[in-house]
Structures are given as C-alpha cells and as structure tokens.
Amino acid sequence: MRLHYLQHVPFEGLAYIKLWAQEQGFPISSTKIYESPVFPGLESFDWLIIMGGPMSVYEEDKYPWLKKEKLFIEQAIKDNKLVLGICLGAQLIADVLGARVYPGRYKEIGWFPVRLKEKAQETKVFHNFPQEFMAFHWHGDTFDIPQGAIWTAESEACPHQAFVYNERVVALQFHLEPIKESIENLIKNCHDELVDGKYIQSPQEMFEKEDNIKISNDLMRKLLENMLALA
C-alpha cells in the first residue's frame, strides 16, 4: 500500500498517521505544497491523505495552487483511490464533490466531543466506533455534506464534522492524528487564533487530559485499519 500525502504548511504533518504507516511498512511519499505544488502521477500511489492548513479552500486568488490541488484530488477520487482528508483536507474533498465550504458560526479549537450520526454505523469506516468520543479541533470553516455522501459525525459547535463518500473517501473536520508535538506546533504557529470564545480552549486546557491524545490515536488506528480493509 503506497501512501502519498499533501502537506500545506510545515507544522501540520501526518503525526500519528506516519507512525502507523511505518509500522505497516508502507512506502510514504509527499507533496509539500509550501515548497513546491507539484503533484505525482496517479499510478504512483494507492492512498491519498490530505492534511490541514490555515488557508481556506475559497482563497484561490491568494493561493493559486488550490486549483491544481482540487483537480488532483478530484482525479484521485475518480481513479478509485483511498482518500482521507483532515480539516482543510476534508473541506477540499467537500469542495471537489460540489458542496459549499464557508466560515462556520464558531471557531472550534481544542478538545471537544464528537457524536456519530445514526447512519455512521452503516459505513465500514465507522462501524466499530464509539457513539461519542473526544477529538481535537482547530478550524473556523465548515462544509455542507456533498450529494451522495453519508453524514457521519457532528459536534455542538460544528454540525458537519465528517462524511463518507462511496466508502473509499473519508472527510474528517476533526483531528484524531495529533501527537503532543503537533499540538504544540499548532499553538506556536497559530497562537493569534487563541482568543476568548465559547469553543476555544487555552493551551493549558488542551494539555489537561493527557489521555485524550492516546484515545484519539487509538481511534485513528481503527479508522485507518477500516479504510485499509477496503483496499
């Protein structure tokens, strides 16, 4: 299983996903868009993972490479690749599938519970997940659920937290992959977003419950294994 990932900024990499993929012995390649937005041929990978970033999918004037990236993601979906998008990655998938992406009512930053929708258990990706779990969040935008996709998760601040499209395409607004270092990097690089807000935690609150990282990583492993079984 050849894994390729798209990284938008230096401080948002694969985190726990990299550890899991290395355990499996999977070859890992990447497009670091902040260095060079050059995308590989579809024949060079089996699984595409699209990571987060502070930009918005509708800022094509500011980030002209977004048009090329969206076309690349669209081609990967049409080619029946496994595709996993996280945060900005999920928003890009939604956009490619024809759904609207826009600023949410609230910014959601920190650890907040996510609840599965009833139809989530009908999917192979989420069928053995708990009904509610803690996940890490760092986003201001949200998306509508694309036509033909299954809406699988919600939170109090952001109703549209996840969807599954044609079983092999998974979009997560929330994060299950963070490790301590990746959270620290987000705080360091995006600290200006840590203002008073109903759903914005302080750095201290983010590290109050150390078990959150392990629990979320265990769920990330479960999700990745479920996707792998679809290959």
Side-chain angles (χ1 to χ4, degrees), residues 57-82:
V57 303
Y58 43 79
E59 294 184 307
E60 291 182 355
D61 290 343
K62 189 174 180 181
Y63 305 100
W65 45 261
L66 278 167
K67 292 182 180 179
K68 291 181 179 180
E69 183 179 15
K70 291 176 186 179
L71 180 60
F72 176 70
I73 295 169
E74 182 179 21
Q75 291 171 336
I77 293 173
K78 287 181 178 178
D79 204 48
N80 209 32
K81 305 291 185 184
L82 289 178

Side-chain angles (χ1 to χ4, degrees), residues 154-167:
E154 64 184 353
S155 73
E156 187 175 290
C158 180
H160 293 164
Q161 282 285 349
F163 64 83
V164 176
Y165 178 78
N166 286 352
E167 284 289 359

Side-chain angles (χ1 to χ4, degrees), residues 7-19:
Q7 184 172 346
H8 301 96
V9 287
F11 55 89
E12 284 203 58
L14 286 179
Y16 174 77
I17 298 172
K18 183 177 181 179
L19 301 177

Side-chain angles (χ1 to χ4, degrees), residues 134-176:
M134 293 296 288
F136 191 74
H137 307 258
W138 199 301
H139 67 96
D141 284 350
T142 187
F143 48 74
D144 289 337
I145 304 300
Q147 186 174 359
I150 299 174
W151 177 17
T152 54
E154 64 184 353
S155 73
E156 187 175 290
C158 180
H160 293 164
Q161 282 285 349
F163 64 83
V164 176
Y165 178 78
N166 286 352
E167 284 289 359
R168 298 172 68 87
V169 180
V170 180
L172 307 178
Q173 182 60 71
F174 54 88
H175 298 263
L176 295 176

Side-chain angles (χ1 to χ4, degrees), residues 67-200:
K67 292 182 180 179
K68 291 181 179 180
E69 183 179 15
K70 291 176 186 179
L71 180 60
F72 176 70
I73 295 169
E74 182 179 21
Q75 291 171 336
I77 293 173
K78 287 181 178 178
D79 204 48
N80 209 32
K81 305 291 185 184
L82 289 178
V83 180
L84 170 62
I86 298 172
C87 201
L88 172 62
Q91 296 160 13
L92 283 162
I93 292 173
D95 181 275
V96 162
L97 294 177
R100 188 169 63 107
V101 179
Y102 50 95
R105 181 179 179 185
Y106 301 104
K107 280 196 172 184
E108 189 175 23
I109 300 176
W111 293 97
F112 295 99
V114 169
R115 297 178 298 275
L116 291 189
K117 302 292 289 182
E118 185 176 348
K119 288 191 174 181
Q121 295 292 348
E122 298 174 10
T123 70
K124 294 178 181 177
V125 175
F126 288 101
H127 77 276
N128 54 356
F129 262 56
Q131 191 62 37
E132 183 171 303
F133 52 89
M134 293 296 288
F136 191 74
H137 307 258
W138 199 301
H139 67 96
D141 284 350
T142 187
F143 48 74
D144 289 337
I145 304 300
Q147 186 174 359
I150 299 174
W151 177 17
T152 54
E154 64 184 353
S155 73
E156 187 175 290
C158 180
H160 293 164
Q161 282 285 349
F163 64 83
V164 176
Y165 178 78
N166 286 352
E167 284 289 359
R168 298 172 68 87
V169 180
V170 180
L172 307 178
Q173 182 60 71
F174 54 88
H175 298 263
L176 295 176
E177 84 287 354
I179 56 178
K180 184 178 180 182
E181 181 183 5
S182 62
I183 295 174
E184 289 173 342
N185 285 338
L186 276 168
I187 293 170
K188 179 181 178 181
N189 288 278
C190 303
H191 59 86
D192 57 311
E193 296 185 61
L194 299 178
V195 298
D196 289 339
K198 186 175 182 180
Y199 299 101
I200 298 178

